[in-house]
Amino acid sequence: EDGNPILRSMQLKVEPIDGWEFVGSGNSTEGLWKTPRPVDGMALVGNKHVVSNRTVTTPHGEVVVSVHLAPNHADKTTYYLDATEQYLQLYTPLLGVYPYEQFSIVENFFSSGFAYPGFTVLGPRVVGMAPKSLAPGYLDHELLHNWWGNGVYVDASHGNWCEALTSYS
């Protein structure tokens, strides 16, 4: 209304498809994603991925980290789990509680990275470059969007402060 997003609590349920793994915006429990705060929409991604998980204990609680990679990049999993754990340990003391119960890294077809609430998608070239692609400015940038941009909305007519704050952080 009047250029402002209409926010509402949402949930999304996905019926399993054999061999496929899905990730949606927000927090998940057995194929059901719920937003922890009102939002203007949800995102859902899926593919035939190899999935690995790790629970990271931060100064503000636990975060489940999931890595969803194509089979030909499954050997890169540990790089992404280790880097995400290090970034969570670095940023949660500075920024506070991570806003979601989990953070998922999902390989997809985009050329680089794109952040969604609770997950990011990374292109196959970026994933394949690990560990080089884990230098500052890639994965950490997408993770930081969960504090800056995926919970605090931007009025693009006044600039994109959340992108600037994420890049600065």
mmCIF file of all heavy atoms in Angstrom, residues 32-68:
data_model
loop_
_atom_site.group_PDB
_atom_site.id
_atom_site.type_symbol
_atom_site.label_atom_id
_atom_site.label_comp_id
_atom_site.label_asym_id
_atom_site.label_seq_id
_atom_site.Cartn_x
_atom_site.Cartn_y
_atom_site.Cartn_z
ATOM 1 N N LEU A 32 8.274 -27.861 6.618
ATOM 2 C CA LEU A 32 7.406 -26.707 6.852
ATOM 3 C C LEU A 32 8.284 -25.532 7.274
ATOM 4 O O LEU A 32 9.033 -25.615 8.250
ATOM 5 C CB LEU A 32 6.385 -27.005 7.955
ATOM 6 C CG LEU A 32 5.493 -25.841 8.380
ATOM 7 C CD1 LEU A 32 4.538 -25.465 7.253
ATOM 8 C CD2 LEU A 32 4.719 -26.195 9.633
ATOM 9 N N TRP A 33 8.219 -24.441 6.502
ATOM 10 C CA TRP A 33 8.981 -23.240 6.821
ATOM 11 C C TRP A 33 8.032 -22.181 7.342
ATOM 12 O O TRP A 33 6.980 -21.941 6.751
ATOM 13 C CB TRP A 33 9.731 -22.712 5.597
ATOM 14 C CG TRP A 33 10.917 -23.553 5.272
ATOM 15 C CD1 TRP A 33 12.189 -23.398 5.738
ATOM 16 C CD2 TRP A 33 10.959 -24.706 4.433
ATOM 17 N NE1 TRP A 33 13.005 -24.379 5.236
ATOM 18 C CE2 TRP A 33 12.267 -25.197 4.423
ATOM 19 C CE3 TRP A 33 9.988 -25.383 3.679
ATOM 20 C CZ2 TRP A 33 12.649 -26.307 3.699
ATOM 21 C CZ3 TRP A 33 10.364 -26.488 2.953
ATOM 22 C CH2 TRP A 33 11.686 -26.943 2.978
ATOM 23 N N LYS A 34 8.429 -21.537 8.445
ATOM 24 C CA LYS A 34 7.638 -20.460 9.037
ATOM 25 C C LYS A 34 8.534 -19.241 9.190
ATOM 26 O O LYS A 34 9.710 -19.367 9.564
ATOM 27 C CB LYS A 34 7.112 -20.858 10.423
ATOM 28 C CG LYS A 34 6.092 -21.967 10.406
ATOM 29 C CD LYS A 34 5.602 -22.260 11.812
ATOM 30 C CE LYS A 34 4.566 -23.353 11.814
ATOM 31 N NZ LYS A 34 4.043 -23.628 13.155
ATOM 32 N N THR A 35 7.960 -18.085 8.950
ATOM 33 C CA THR A 35 8.716 -16.854 9.121
ATOM 34 C C THR A 35 8.673 -16.441 10.591
ATOM 35 O O THR A 35 7.619 -16.495 11.211
ATOM 36 C CB THR A 35 8.146 -15.743 8.231
ATOM 37 O OG1 THR A 35 6.785 -15.487 8.580
ATOM 38 C CG2 THR A 35 8.217 -16.132 6.760
ATOM 39 N N PRO A 36 9.819 -16.037 11.159
ATOM 40 C CA PRO A 36 9.830 -15.643 12.566
ATOM 41 C C PRO A 36 9.248 -14.248 12.809
ATOM 42 O O PRO A 36 9.028 -13.868 13.945
ATOM 43 C CB PRO A 36 11.312 -15.675 12.933
ATOM 44 C CG PRO A 36 12.020 -15.458 11.658
ATOM 45 C CD PRO A 36 11.155 -16.061 10.587
ATOM 46 N N ARG A 37 9.017 -13.513 11.737
ATOM 47 C CA ARG A 37 8.423 -12.172 11.830
ATOM 48 C C ARG A 37 7.614 -11.947 10.564
ATOM 49 O O ARG A 37 7.801 -12.650 9.576
ATOM 50 C CB ARG A 37 9.506 -11.107 11.999
ATOM 51 C CG ARG A 37 10.355 -10.914 10.765
ATOM 52 C CD ARG A 37 11.470 -9.924 10.915
ATOM 53 N NE ARG A 37 12.635 -10.268 11.672
ATOM 54 C CZ ARG A 37 13.462 -11.286 11.449
ATOM 55 N NH1 ARG A 37 13.210 -12.128 10.496
ATOM 56 N NH2 ARG A 37 14.516 -11.463 12.167
ATOM 57 N N PRO A 38 6.717 -10.996 10.542
ATOM 58 C CA PRO A 38 5.942 -10.723 9.324
ATOM 59 C C PRO A 38 6.857 -10.325 8.158
ATOM 60 O O PRO A 38 7.836 -9.606 8.338
ATOM 61 C CB PRO A 38 5.038 -9.562 9.727
ATOM 62 C CG PRO A 38 4.921 -9.679 11.216
ATOM 63 C CD PRO A 38 6.270 -10.172 11.672
ATOM 64 N N VAL A 39 6.540 -10.832 6.972
ATOM 65 C CA VAL A 39 7.327 -10.602 5.759
ATOM 66 C C VAL A 39 6.391 -10.285 4.598
ATOM 67 O O VAL A 39 5.174 -10.437 4.704
ATOM 68 C CB VAL A 39 8.201 -11.825 5.417
ATOM 69 C CG1 VAL A 39 9.234 -12.087 6.496
ATOM 70 C CG2 VAL A 39 7.341 -13.069 5.209
ATOM 71 N N ASP A 40 6.977 -9.879 3.472
ATOM 72 C CA ASP A 40 6.167 -9.588 2.289
ATOM 73 C C ASP A 40 6.190 -10.726 1.268
ATOM 74 O O ASP A 40 5.614 -10.616 0.202
ATOM 75 C CB ASP A 40 6.595 -8.272 1.638
ATOM 76 C CG ASP A 40 7.987 -8.313 1.051
ATOM 77 O OD1 ASP A 40 8.749 -9.257 1.340
ATOM 78 O OD2 ASP A 40 8.324 -7.380 0.290
ATOM 79 N N GLY A 41 6.854 -11.831 1.584
ATOM 80 C CA GLY A 41 6.888 -12.980 0.688
ATOM 81 C C GLY A 41 7.883 -14.013 1.188
ATOM 82 O O GLY A 41 8.630 -13.770 2.135
ATOM 83 N N MET A 42 7.883 -15.173 0.553
ATOM 84 C CA MET A 42 8.798 -16.256 0.896
ATOM 85 C C MET A 42 9.454 -16.759 -0.371
ATOM 86 O O MET A 42 8.913 -16.610 -1.460
ATOM 87 C CB MET A 42 8.056 -17.406 1.590
ATOM 88 C CG MET A 42 7.510 -17.053 2.945
ATOM 89 S SD MET A 42 6.725 -18.454 3.775
ATOM 90 C CE MET A 42 8.144 -19.388 4.323
ATOM 91 N N ALA A 43 10.610 -17.387 -0.205
ATOM 92 C CA ALA A 43 11.328 -17.996 -1.320
ATOM 93 C C ALA A 43 11.497 -19.481 -1.026
ATOM 94 O O ALA A 43 11.604 -19.895 0.133
ATOM 95 C CB ALA A 43 12.687 -17.339 -1.495
ATOM 96 N N LEU A 44 11.520 -20.281 -2.078
ATOM 97 C CA LEU A 44 11.731 -21.721 -1.971
ATOM 98 C C LEU A 44 12.672 -22.144 -3.085
ATOM 99 O O LEU A 44 12.494 -21.744 -4.238
ATOM 100 C CB LEU A 44 10.407 -22.477 -2.106
ATOM 101 C CG LEU A 44 10.501 -24.005 -2.099
ATOM 102 C CD1 LEU A 44 10.828 -24.513 -0.702
ATOM 103 C CD2 LEU A 44 9.199 -24.618 -2.602
ATOM 104 N N VAL A 45 13.697 -22.934 -2.740
ATOM 105 C CA VAL A 45 14.613 -23.489 -3.727
ATOM 106 C C VAL A 45 14.751 -24.977 -3.474
ATOM 107 O O VAL A 45 14.533 -25.451 -2.358
ATOM 108 C CB VAL A 45 16.005 -22.805 -3.683
ATOM 109 C CG1 VAL A 45 15.890 -21.331 -4.027
ATOM 110 C CG2 VAL A 45 16.676 -22.978 -2.339
ATOM 111 N N GLY A 46 15.111 -25.707 -4.506
ATOM 112 C CA GLY A 46 15.306 -27.140 -4.350
ATOM 113 C C GLY A 46 16.079 -27.726 -5.515
ATOM 114 O O GLY A 46 16.102 -27.157 -6.603
ATOM 115 N N ASN A 47 16.701 -28.868 -5.252
ATOM 116 C CA ASN A 47 17.443 -29.577 -6.284
ATOM 117 C C ASN A 47 17.874 -30.924 -5.723
ATOM 118 O O ASN A 47 17.658 -31.211 -4.548
ATOM 119 C CB ASN A 47 18.664 -28.755 -6.740
ATOM 120 C CG ASN A 47 19.069 -29.068 -8.168
ATOM 121 O OD1 ASN A 47 18.856 -30.170 -8.656
ATOM 122 N ND2 ASN A 47 19.649 -28.079 -8.833
ATOM 123 N N LYS A 48 18.514 -31.710 -6.559
ATOM 124 C CA LYS A 48 19.065 -33.001 -6.145
ATOM 125 C C LYS A 48 20.473 -32.750 -5.614
ATOM 126 O O LYS A 48 21.449 -32.837 -6.349
ATOM 127 C CB LYS A 48 19.072 -33.975 -7.312
ATOM 128 C CG LYS A 48 17.683 -34.310 -7.804
ATOM 129 C CD LYS A 48 17.723 -35.270 -8.970
ATOM 130 C CE LYS A 48 16.315 -35.614 -9.406
ATOM 131 N NZ LYS A 48 16.296 -36.560 -10.520
ATOM 132 N N HIS A 49 20.546 -32.413 -4.336
ATOM 133 C CA HIS A 49 21.793 -32.029 -3.711
ATOM 134 C C HIS A 49 22.265 -33.042 -2.688
ATOM 135 O O HIS A 49 21.469 -33.795 -2.122
ATOM 136 C CB HIS A 49 21.633 -30.685 -2.990
ATOM 137 C CG HIS A 49 21.600 -29.507 -3.896
ATOM 138 N ND1 HIS A 49 20.752 -28.445 -3.692
ATOM 139 C CD2 HIS A 49 22.315 -29.203 -4.999
ATOM 140 C CE1 HIS A 49 20.951 -27.540 -4.635
ATOM 141 N NE2 HIS A 49 21.890 -27.974 -5.435
ATOM 142 N N VAL A 50 23.550 -32.983 -2.429
ATOM 143 C CA VAL A 50 24.142 -33.675 -1.289
ATOM 144 C C VAL A 50 24.092 -32.673 -0.139
ATOM 145 O O VAL A 50 24.545 -31.535 -0.283
ATOM 146 C CB VAL A 50 25.599 -34.085 -1.586
ATOM 147 C CG1 VAL A 50 26.234 -34.724 -0.368
ATOM 148 C CG2 VAL A 50 25.654 -35.015 -2.800
ATOM 149 N N VAL A 51 23.523 -33.074 0.997
ATOM 150 C CA VAL A 51 23.317 -32.151 2.115
ATOM 151 C C VAL A 51 24.125 -32.594 3.321
ATOM 152 O O VAL A 51 24.128 -33.771 3.687
ATOM 153 C CB VAL A 51 21.818 -32.074 2.498
ATOM 154 C CG1 VAL A 51 21.611 -31.134 3.678
ATOM 155 C CG2 VAL A 51 20.988 -31.645 1.302
ATOM 156 N N SER A 52 24.805 -31.618 3.927
ATOM 157 C CA SER A 52 25.535 -31.847 5.174
ATOM 158 C C SER A 52 25.134 -30.760 6.159
ATOM 159 O O SER A 52 24.894 -29.613 5.762
ATOM 160 C CB SER A 52 27.040 -31.795 4.941
ATOM 161 O OG SER A 52 27.438 -32.838 4.084
ATOM 162 N N ASN A 53 25.091 -31.125 7.445
ATOM 163 C CA ASN A 53 24.660 -30.202 8.498
ATOM 164 C C ASN A 53 25.682 -30.163 9.622
ATOM 165 O O ASN A 53 26.380 -31.147 9.866
ATOM 166 C CB ASN A 53 23.323 -30.648 9.095
ATOM 167 C CG ASN A 53 22.228 -30.710 8.072
ATOM 168 O OD1 ASN A 53 21.878 -29.707 7.482
ATOM 169 N ND2 ASN A 53 21.692 -31.900 7.852
ATOM 170 N N ARG A 54 25.700 -29.034 10.313
ATOM 171 C CA ARG A 54 26.513 -28.878 11.519
ATOM 172 C C ARG A 54 25.781 -27.912 12.437
ATOM 173 O O ARG A 54 25.283 -26.886 11.991
ATOM 174 C CB ARG A 54 27.882 -28.327 11.172
ATOM 175 C CG ARG A 54 28.768 -28.091 12.395
ATOM 176 C CD ARG A 54 30.092 -27.449 12.045
ATOM 177 N NE ARG A 54 30.912 -28.321 11.232
ATOM 178 C CZ ARG A 54 32.056 -27.937 10.658
ATOM 179 N NH1 ARG A 54 32.491 -26.695 10.810
ATOM 180 N NH2 ARG A 54 32.749 -28.786 9.935
ATOM 181 N N THR A 55 25.748 -28.233 13.719
ATOM 182 C CA THR A 55 25.187 -27.317 14.704
ATOM 183 C C THR A 55 26.333 -26.487 15.268
ATOM 184 O O THR A 55 27.328 -27.031 15.751
ATOM 185 C CB THR A 55 24.459 -28.085 15.824
ATOM 186 O OG1 THR A 55 23.397 -28.840 15.240
ATOM 187 C CG2 THR A 55 23.885 -27.127 16.859
ATOM 188 N N VAL A 56 26.179 -25.171 15.167
ATOM 189 C CA VAL A 56 27.199 -24.240 15.643
ATOM 190 C C VAL A 56 26.670 -23.564 16.904
ATOM 191 O O VAL A 56 25.575 -23.001 16.893
ATOM 192 C CB VAL A 56 27.515 -23.179 14.563
ATOM 193 C CG1 VAL A 56 28.494 -22.140 15.103
ATOM 194 C CG2 VAL A 56 28.057 -23.842 13.300
ATOM 195 N N THR A 57 27.444 -23.631 17.971
ATOM 196 C CA THR A 57 27.089 -22.957 19.211
ATOM 197 C C THR A 57 27.734 -21.581 19.197
ATOM 198 O O THR A 57 28.957 -21.458 19.188
ATOM 199 C CB THR A 57 27.548 -23.765 20.432
ATOM 200 O OG1 THR A 57 26.946 -25.072 20.361
ATOM 201 C CG2 THR A 57 27.141 -23.085 21.730
ATOM 202 N N THR A 58 26.895 -20.550 19.165
ATOM 203 C CA THR A 58 27.375 -19.170 19.178
ATOM 204 C C THR A 58 27.218 -18.616 20.595
ATOM 205 O O THR A 58 26.556 -19.241 21.434
ATOM 206 C CB THR A 58 26.581 -18.291 18.193
ATOM 207 O OG1 THR A 58 25.290 -18.011 18.751
ATOM 208 C CG2 THR A 58 26.432 -18.951 16.826
ATOM 209 N N PRO A 59 27.760 -17.443 20.873
ATOM 210 C CA PRO A 59 27.544 -16.838 22.192
ATOM 211 C C PRO A 59 26.068 -16.572 22.508
ATOM 212 O O PRO A 59 25.726 -16.344 23.662
ATOM 213 C CB PRO A 59 28.327 -15.512 22.094
ATOM 214 C CG PRO A 59 29.369 -15.753 21.062
ATOM 215 C CD PRO A 59 28.725 -16.682 20.068
ATOM 216 N N HIS A 60 25.199 -16.616 21.476
ATOM 217 C CA HIS A 60 23.774 -16.330 21.679
ATOM 218 C C HIS A 60 22.880 -17.534 21.378
ATOM 219 O O HIS A 60 21.691 -17.365 21.187
ATOM 220 C CB HIS A 60 23.355 -15.147 20.808
ATOM 221 C CG HIS A 60 24.058 -13.879 21.158
ATOM 222 N ND1 HIS A 60 23.814 -13.180 22.319
ATOM 223 C CD2 HIS A 60 25.018 -13.192 20.512
ATOM 224 C CE1 HIS A 60 24.591 -12.117 22.367
ATOM 225 N NE2 HIS A 60 25.334 -12.105 21.287
ATOM 226 N N GLY A 61 23.445 -18.725 21.313
ATOM 227 C CA GLY A 61 22.629 -19.911 21.067
ATOM 228 C C GLY A 61 23.103 -20.700 19.854
ATOM 229 O O GLY A 61 24.088 -20.346 19.205
ATOM 230 N N GLU A 62 22.362 -21.765 19.567
ATOM 231 C CA GLU A 62 22.748 -22.664 18.481
ATOM 232 C C GLU A 62 22.141 -22.247 17.155
ATOM 233 O O GLU A 62 21.009 -21.749 17.098
ATOM 234 C CB GLU A 62 22.311 -24.098 18.802
ATOM 235 C CG GLU A 62 23.068 -24.694 19.961
ATOM 236 C CD GLU A 62 22.713 -26.155 20.212
ATOM 237 O OE1 GLU A 62 21.638 -26.617 19.749
ATOM 238 O OE2 GLU A 62 23.510 -26.834 20.864
ATOM 239 N N VAL A 63 22.906 -22.480 16.078
ATOM 240 C CA VAL A 63 22.462 -22.264 14.708
ATOM 241 C C VAL A 63 22.832 -23.518 13.923
ATOM 242 O O VAL A 63 23.979 -23.968 13.966
ATOM 243 C CB VAL A 63 23.153 -21.035 14.063
ATOM 244 C CG1 VAL A 63 22.699 -20.859 12.618
ATOM 245 C CG2 VAL A 63 22.899 -19.773 14.870
ATOM 246 N N VAL A 64 21.865 -24.091 13.221
ATOM 247 C CA VAL A 64 22.141 -25.243 12.370
ATOM 248 C C VAL A 64 22.585 -24.719 11.013
ATOM 249 O O VAL A 64 21.882 -23.936 10.374
ATOM 250 C CB VAL A 64 20.897 -26.146 12.224
ATOM 251 C CG1 VAL A 64 21.185 -27.295 11.260
ATOM 252 C CG2 VAL A 64 20.468 -26.677 13.588
ATOM 253 N N VAL A 65 23.755 -25.144 10.577
ATOM 254 C CA VAL A 65 24.285 -24.758 9.272
ATOM 255 C C VAL A 65 24.144 -25.954 8.342
ATOM 256 O O VAL A 65 24.542 -27.067 8.689
ATOM 257 C CB VAL A 65 25.766 -24.333 9.379
ATOM 258 C CG1 VAL A 65 26.332 -24.009 8.006
ATOM 259 C CG2 VAL A 65 25.915 -23.160 10.333
ATOM 260 N N SER A 66 23.541 -25.712 7.167
ATOM 261 C CA SER A 66 23.360 -26.762 6.161
ATOM 262 C C SER A 66 24.018 -26.338 4.863
ATOM 263 O O SER A 66 23.935 -25.174 4.470
ATOM 264 C CB SER A 66 21.871 -27.019 5.889
ATOM 265 O OG SER A 66 21.233 -27.486 7.045
ATOM 266 N N VAL A 67 24.654 -27.287 4.216
ATOM 267 C CA VAL A 67 25.268 -27.039 2.917
ATOM 268 C C VAL A 67 24.632 -28.001 1.923
ATOM 269 O O VAL A 67 24.640 -29.213 2.125
ATOM 270 C CB VAL A 67 26.798 -27.232 2.975
ATOM 271 C CG1 VAL A 67 27.430 -27.017 1.606
ATOM 272 C CG2 VAL A 67 27.413 -26.292 4.001
ATOM 273 N N HIS A 68 24.040 -27.440 0.851
ATOM 274 C CA HIS A 68 23.351 -28.201 -0.193
ATOM 275 C C HIS A 68 24.127 -28.016 -1.491
ATOM 276 O O HIS A 68 24.034 -26.950 -2.116
ATOM 277 C CB HIS A 68 21.930 -27.667 -0.403
ATOM 278 C CG HIS A 68 21.059 -27.787 0.796
ATOM 279 N ND1 HIS A 68 19.885 -28.510 0.775
ATOM 280 C CD2 HIS A 68 21.154 -27.286 2.061
ATOM 281 C CE1 HIS A 68 19.304 -28.439 1.958
ATOM 282 N NE2 HIS A 68 20.059 -27.695 2.749
#
